[in-house]
Amino acid sequence: FPYTTLFRSTTISVGDLINAAIVRALVEHPRLNASWHDDHIIEFGHVNLGVAVAVLDGLVVPAITTAEKLSLTELSNRRRELTTAAQEGKLHPRDLGTATISVSNLGTTGITGILPMVIPPQAAIIGLPGRMSDGTMIITAACDHRVVDGADGARFTSHMRMMLSDVRRLLL
């Protein structure tokens, strides 16, 4: 179901709200916005949110760069622009390969569960189902355990859940 802001003519999707919660939670939980390199962990200074997009011959993952600096509306608009460019085969090379974490959204498929696979060198990917089951949306996180342990992942997802329980937090 879309949320329409009262101050703009932009439609914000549930996926956009979740993307905003992911980005905001990553600021507080930087271990998920990291990568394993050789024998150490690198935490990234910015959140470059990769958005998986189905195209005719597979899947591409363009990145919304410095997503932590964007408002909910800006994040939504950029996601829409990248999705359209991907589907039309018009992505710019700078849009690819820069994601620090990704989200895979099953959209309107009707599928209630997803277990996404981490895209190296990222430490995590978030999976969004195509529909709710009994009013509940099961959001999954797959993590590279060299970087993120279960406790870190649980704290991150708990923070996301708290933010989504009151979407007004995402408007700030």
Side-chain angles (χ1 to χ4, degrees):
F1 55 95
Y3 288 89
T4 303
T5 59
L6 299 175
F7 50 91
R8 292 188 176 93
S9 61
T10 302
T11 299
I12 304 296
S13 71
V14 171
D16 292 327
L17 291 169
I18 296 169
N19 288 346
I22 291 168
V23 170
R24 301 243 169 50
L26 284 171
V27 171
E28 300 295 322
H29 303 275
R31 186 52 64 98
L32 278 91
N33 190 45
S35 182
W36 178 259
H37 285 280
D38 297 324
D39 62 349
H40 64 282
I41 296 167
I42 296 174
E43 290 182 2
F44 299 107
H46 294 288
V47 177
N48 293 344
L49 183 65
V51 181
V53 180
V55 294
L56 287 177
D57 56 349
L59 193 70
V60 293
V61 186
I64 301 169
T65 57
T66 59
E68 77 282 1
K69 295 181 178 182
L70 302 178
S71 69
L72 175 59
T73 301
E74 291 167 331
L75 188 67
S76 175
N77 289 341
R78 186 68 180 131
R79 190 248 334 135
R80 226 186 270 58
E81 290 167 6
L82 288 171
T83 300
T84 300
Q87 292 168 338
E88 294 175 354
K90 296 179 180 177
L91 281 174
H92 193 281
R94 72 174 172 261
D95 296 325
L96 297 167
T98 60
T100 58
I101 187 169
S102 291
V103 62
S104 183
N105 186 338
L106 294 178
T108 59
T109 63
I111 305 297
T112 57
I114 178 176
L115 181 56
M117 295 187 63
V118 177
I119 304 168
Q122 299 168 31
I125 185 169
I126 310 303
L128 307 180
R131 71 178 174 94
M132 293 185 197
S133 176
D134 298 324
T136 302
M137 178 180 281
I138 299 171
I139 299 172
T140 57
C143 302
D144 179 342
H145 280 251
R146 295 173 298 175
V147 181
V148 182
D149 63 26
D152 287 333
R155 283 188 289 272
F156 169 77
T157 53
S158 178
H159 192 129
M160 276 182 47
R161 189 177 118 213
M162 181 266 308
M163 295 186 81
L164 290 166
S165 69
D166 182 2
V167 295
R168 292 175 294 183
R169 298 170 204 226
L170 301 173
L171 299 173
L172 302 175

